[in-house]
């Protein structure tokens, strides 16, 4: 059983590293994305496979955006699954997804009421293999947020996180309203 589990974990790690590598080299294909529909479909998929008590979701108005749908979908999958995972030990877990915008960017936010983390280690959050919680507490490979950051950077956006231990975490990322395909970030690493 131990060998089986370790083999499964190694396979997941290899898959995540391959995904991380592909994000940096893939060609960006711009199309209009209905972010609200995309987020709702991902939530439904996540809840269909959930084995624990489902969290409550509050979803605000999420504007459409011009971006690579496959990449943005992967970023949302990683962020939503993290929010579910790290709020799963709360009696009532709540995940809020909202947005706002200015003249240049649309800002998307996902906030949970989970265990949070110490902001002293925020610089490690988006690095490969950087985990702020033990594997015994929460499974994962430590690659998911690195993939998210790479996807957002490829779209000329930025992502930040804020958190307090025991009070949850909020991730905010921005994407340009008018993408310039010739200016997309190439391989970052």
């Amino acid at each position: 059983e131990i060998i089986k589990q370790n083999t499964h974990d190694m396979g997941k790690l290899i898959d995540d590293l391959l995904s991380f590598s592909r994000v940096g080299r893939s060609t960006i294909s711009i199309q209009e994305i209905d972010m609200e529909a995309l987020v709702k479909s991902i939530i439904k998929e996540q809840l269909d496979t959930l084995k624990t008590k489902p969290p409550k979701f509050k979803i605000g108005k999420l504007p459409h955006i011009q971006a690579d749908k496959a990449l943005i979908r992967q970023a949302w999958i990683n962020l939503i699954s993290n929010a579910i995972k790290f709020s799963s030990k709360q009696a009532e877990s709540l995940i809020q997804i909202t947005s706002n915008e200015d003249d240049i960017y649309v800002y998307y936010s996902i906030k949970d009421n989970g265990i949070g983390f110490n902001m002293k280690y925020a610089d490690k959050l988006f690095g490969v293999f950087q985990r702020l919680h033990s594997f015994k507490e929460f499974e994962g490979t430590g690659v998911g947020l690195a993939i998210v950051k790479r996807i957002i950077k490829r779209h000329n956006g930025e992502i930040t996180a804020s958190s307090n231990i025991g009070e949850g975490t909020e991730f905010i990322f921005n994407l340009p309203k008018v993408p310039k395909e010739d200016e997309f970030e190439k391989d970052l690493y």
Side-chain angles (χ1 to χ4, degrees):
E1 286 302 314
I2 292 171
I3 292 170
K4 270 184 176 175
Q5 184 60 48
N6 287 342
T7 302
H8 176 268
D9 294 346
M10 184 58 70
K12 177 73 175 126
L13 177 60
I14 290 168
D15 288 345
D16 285 352
L17 287 172
L18 287 171
S19 292
F20 182 73
S21 175
R22 278 192 287 266
V23 167
R25 287 186 231 128
S26 64
T27 303
I28 300 238
S29 175
I30 296 300
Q31 60 183 292
E32 185 167 332
I33 303 171
D34 179 343
M35 282 292 225
E36 218 167 299
L38 179 65
V39 165
K40 286 178 179 177
S41 72
I42 293 167
I43 290 170
K44 183 182 179 328
E45 290 168 12
Q46 296 281 321
L47 293 180
D48 286 347
T49 61
L50 198 60
K51 295 176 180 135
T52 60
K53 181 182 174 192
K56 288 183 182 174
F57 281 90
K58 285 188 179 178
I59 303 170
K61 183 175 173 11
L62 304 176
H64 290 220
I65 196 78
Q66 297 285 324
D68 184 293
K69 188 171 184 176
L71 291 177
I72 296 302
R73 177 177 172 70
Q74 186 61 57
W76 275 118
I77 288 170
N78 291 5
L79 290 170
I80 291 169
S81 64
N82 269 8
I84 291 170
K85 176 173 40 175
F86 290 109
S87 65
S88 65
K89 297 186 182 199
Q90 300 296 340
E92 287 290 323
S93 63
L94 174 65
I95 298 169
Q96 300 173 71
I97 301 175
T98 59
S99 70
N100 63 55
E101 52 190 296
D102 61 22
D103 292 340
I104 300 169
Y105 294 102
V106 177
Y107 298 84
Y108 297 97
S109 164
I110 179 166
K111 183 177 184 176
D112 65 60
N113 66 338
I115 62 167
F117 64 88
N118 187 334
M119 285 297 290
K120 181 168 97 173
Y121 303 108
D123 60 323
K124 296 178 181 282
L125 198 61
F126 296 104
V128 178
F129 305 128
Q130 298 296 320
R131 295 179 52 94
L132 301 183
H133 303 285
S134 76
F135 186 78
K136 288 179 183 177
E137 274 185 295
F138 298 99
E139 64 179 48
T141 59
V143 181
L145 289 176
I147 290 171
V148 172
K149 182 173 183 175
R150 192 173 236 193
I151 289 169
I152 301 306
K153 287 293 248 181
R154 290 280 323 269
H155 284 82
N156 295 314
E158 294 180 9
I159 184 165
T160 59
S162 60
S163 185
N164 287 310
I165 295 174
E167 296 178 18
T169 301
E170 180 177 25
F171 288 95
I172 298 173
F173 67 91
N174 64 22
L175 297 171
K177 287 182 172 182
V178 181
K180 296 178 183 168
E181 292 186 52
D182 59 328
E183 293 180 11
F184 283 132
E185 286 275 342
K186 300 300 179 210
D187 193 35
L188 300 172
Y189 300 94

